[in-house]
Amino acid sequence: MSKQVAEIIVNTLEAAGVKHCYGIVGDTLNVIAGHIAKSSIRWMHMRHEEAGAFAAQGEAGLTGELTAVAGTCGPGSLHFINGLYEASRNRVPVLLIATQVVTSEIGFNFIQEVDFKAVYDDLSVFCDVITSPEQALRKTVLACQTAIAKRGVAVLIVPVDIAMAHPKDQTPFKVHFPKPVIRPSDDELDRMAEILNAGEKIAIYGGAGCQAGRDQVLAIADLLQAPIAHTSRGKDFLEWDNPHNIGMTGMLGNEAGYQAVLECDTLLLLGCDFAWRQFYPGRARIVQVDLEATHLGMRHPVELGVVGDIKATLEALKPRLSPRGPSEFHDAAIRHHTKAIDAWEAHIAPRRHDSIPGKYLGQLIGKHADDDALFSADDGTPAVWMLRHIPANGKRRTFGSLLHGSMGGGLATGLGLQAAAPGRQVVCLCGDGGLAMGFADIFTTIQEDLPVKIAVFDNGKLGFVEIEQKTEGMLNTYTDLINPDFGAVAKAAGLWGATVDKAEDLEAAIIAWLAHPGPALLNVKVNPQELVMPPFVAAEPAVGMALYMTKAVLHGRGRDLVDLAEQNLP
């Protein structure tokens, strides 16, 4: 008798390089889970499927390899949606095995029947049903191949009766791993060189697409004497040991990156898909290089857009460029960046009442974490402090929901990072709201022996949302959180746990927390009124903040303004 379809699916995932499968077992998934248990794939027993999807995309984002999640029919497979949107936005290969009710009941509103093709169509690069046992191998291979080739989410829908069946014929389809080198045509390279050689104040803006071409980016910057700004996702690759670095632009960036990009006359966009149009220059000539053709000119008009790998494209472009002498535009941008970073650093340490700024917690974690640590952060202020105050060094990596902007991904992403890199230190920077949202999977750290280090930025509120409300002139509305002592809860759950509320105790607590060999949670009471200051203050937020202050006084909340000033003014 031929192999069971469930076994064929599992064997194909093994051949495609899948190391882990995240999910929760049950009914229609049981037969596939049974074959996973016999395979080399490690089943990661999650407490919520959404966390499993965040973990899988974290693993795929670190390794670049296909990772899997699997769910039961109906609600089980629906729970993956948000985490799989994260994978889709980050363009990492993840395969969902969405098991389904028996084929004879599909279309009759059977209990737990869900039209997964309709649900997952928007976020997937592949989504289809295995409709017969003979399709099993071919369609599983196609799902894996598409996820790998298109760097996205593939959804393989498997009715339980099909999973249990035995196909009569098995043509030996298999997964391939192409690695093409893609660069623009010679004519396009000549046009790129013509535009760049004509520029006087040239800037480079690089994103995550520069990962494999870092050396080539720095070489072009040196040749053109162009300062390099980077996106938040480009931090790991372009920040460290870079004499041309001027940091991030955007709302989370600094003045130097912001001004250099706006004031240049020629801008080279490399592997970045930054969404906010107000941070692009209005009159510069723009050349864009991206591996995804649909990204060209999507965010802002460009004079020339070309498709190519950053490394291969810049290697072919370099001989066509004319070397530059010293550039005052370049040197001024570097000086400005140094000044901006010094100003940030000067305002990090606690100054009043021994309270703890969130940025200070981030800085100390960066100081004491391993040189090759992996960091995952919840959306909001933890991500800001990670990006601003934990330095890149070429070994560390930082992960956050920077394109999807979801709450609750910090811990879950860290679990995937730890599974993928068991010998490395993984630090999860969690907001109190984000951690509470996905708290169930704190138990996964123990069950799956994942020694992640969890830092809770406990400010008793949805901090980033409250900042947004204040800049809109609102009093804070529905942002307050009544939290438990997360350190005590962690202890009760079986983790190392502690809570710190005084700045003088923080550094010693961080050292002990990071040194613990198993999963550990450090709950830190951070300043509730701390603001995230952007690289510029536009008129609308300034007016909104003034309006908020007026309302606060009129509503008898003047003390809030005193706290706001104490915690944010030098």
Side-chain angles (χ1 to χ4, degrees), residues 9 28 70 87 95 110 198 243 301 411 514:
I9 292 172
T28 53
L95 176 77
F110 193 72
L411 169 61
L514 291 174

mmCIF file of all heavy atoms in Angstrom, residues 9 28 70 87 95 110 198 243 301 411 514:
data_model
loop_
_atom_site.group_PDB
_atom_site.id
_atom_site.type_symbol
_atom_site.label_atom_id
_atom_site.label_comp_id
_atom_site.label_asym_id
_atom_site.label_seq_id
_atom_site.Cartn_x
_atom_site.Cartn_y
_atom_site.Cartn_z
ATOM 1 N N ILE A 9 2.663 14.552 2.952
ATOM 2 C CA ILE A 9 2.776 15.982 3.253
ATOM 3 C C ILE A 9 3.956 16.232 4.189
ATOM 4 O O ILE A 9 4.785 17.120 3.952
ATOM 5 C CB ILE A 9 1.466 16.494 3.887
ATOM 6 C CG1 ILE A 9 0.338 16.476 2.859
ATOM 7 C CG2 ILE A 9 1.661 17.907 4.464
ATOM 8 C CD1 ILE A 9 -1.032 16.775 3.442
ATOM 9 N N THR A 28 -9.229 17.188 13.141
ATOM 10 C CA THR A 28 -8.822 16.987 11.748
ATOM 11 C C THR A 28 -7.313 17.054 11.543
ATOM 12 O O THR A 28 -6.825 16.677 10.473
ATOM 13 C CB THR A 28 -9.495 18.036 10.847
ATOM 14 O OG1 THR A 28 -9.233 19.344 11.352
ATOM 15 C CG2 THR A 28 -11.003 17.816 10.799
ATOM 16 N N ALA A 70 0.389 24.620 11.632
ATOM 17 C CA ALA A 70 -0.687 23.692 11.283
ATOM 18 C C ALA A 70 -1.837 23.853 12.260
ATOM 19 O O ALA A 70 -1.618 24.002 13.470
ATOM 20 C CB ALA A 70 -0.181 22.242 11.291
ATOM 21 N N ALA A 87 3.830 37.624 8.579
ATOM 22 C CA ALA A 87 4.738 36.928 7.669
ATOM 23 C C ALA A 87 4.623 37.461 6.255
ATOM 24 O O ALA A 87 5.625 37.648 5.550
ATOM 25 C CB ALA A 87 4.441 35.424 7.692
ATOM 26 N N LEU A 95 4.446 28.130 5.643
ATOM 27 C CA LEU A 95 3.390 27.271 5.102
ATOM 28 C C LEU A 95 2.378 26.955 6.186
ATOM 29 O O LEU A 95 2.743 26.485 7.270
ATOM 30 C CB LEU A 95 3.989 25.964 4.571
ATOM 31 C CG LEU A 95 2.961 24.938 4.073
ATOM 32 C CD1 LEU A 95 2.441 25.335 2.703
ATOM 33 C CD2 LEU A 95 3.555 23.542 4.032
ATOM 34 N N PHE A 110 -21.309 22.680 7.428
ATOM 35 C CA PHE A 110 -21.025 21.698 8.476
ATOM 36 C C PHE A 110 -20.346 22.386 9.652
ATOM 37 O O PHE A 110 -19.701 23.421 9.498
ATOM 38 C CB PHE A 110 -20.127 20.593 7.899
ATOM 39 C CG PHE A 110 -20.023 19.372 8.764
ATOM 40 C CD1 PHE A 110 -21.097 18.504 8.891
ATOM 41 C CD2 PHE A 110 -18.846 19.085 9.428
ATOM 42 C CE1 PHE A 110 -20.996 17.362 9.679
ATOM 43 C CE2 PHE A 110 -18.732 17.948 10.214
ATOM 44 C CZ PHE A 110 -19.810 17.086 10.347
ATOM 45 N N ALA A 198 25.679 63.034 -12.080
ATOM 46 C CA ALA A 198 25.298 64.441 -12.238
ATOM 47 C C ALA A 198 24.924 65.092 -10.914
ATOM 48 O O ALA A 198 24.831 66.325 -10.828
ATOM 49 C CB ALA A 198 24.123 64.561 -13.213
ATOM 50 N N PRO A 243 31.032 54.362 8.308
ATOM 51 C CA PRO A 243 31.449 55.772 8.415
ATOM 52 C C PRO A 243 30.485 56.738 7.739
ATOM 53 O O PRO A 243 30.599 57.950 7.934
ATOM 54 C CB PRO A 243 32.813 55.782 7.719
ATOM 55 C CG PRO A 243 32.777 54.624 6.779
ATOM 56 C CD PRO A 243 31.955 53.580 7.463
ATOM 57 N N PRO A 301 6.998 59.211 -6.392
ATOM 58 C CA PRO A 301 7.483 59.168 -7.773
ATOM 59 C C PRO A 301 9.010 59.101 -7.839
ATOM 60 O O PRO A 301 9.708 59.771 -7.076
ATOM 61 C CB PRO A 301 6.971 60.480 -8.367
ATOM 62 C CG PRO A 301 5.801 60.847 -7.525
ATOM 63 C CD PRO A 301 6.122 60.378 -6.142
ATOM 64 N N LEU A 411 6.725 38.589 22.415
ATOM 65 C CA LEU A 411 7.063 37.303 23.016
ATOM 66 C C LEU A 411 6.992 36.191 21.988
ATOM 67 O O LEU A 411 7.908 35.365 21.885
ATOM 68 C CB LEU A 411 6.106 37.004 24.176
ATOM 69 C CG LEU A 411 6.168 35.577 24.749
ATOM 70 C CD1 LEU A 411 7.550 35.268 25.299
ATOM 71 C CD2 LEU A 411 5.096 35.379 25.820
ATOM 72 N N LEU A 514 19.451 38.304 32.787
ATOM 73 C CA LEU A 514 20.080 37.773 31.583
ATOM 74 C C LEU A 514 20.940 36.551 31.870
ATOM 75 O O LEU A 514 21.149 35.708 30.990
ATOM 76 C CB LEU A 514 20.928 38.857 30.914
ATOM 77 C CG LEU A 514 20.163 40.017 30.272
ATOM 78 C CD1 LEU A 514 21.134 41.092 29.784
ATOM 79 C CD2 LEU A 514 19.280 39.540 29.131
#
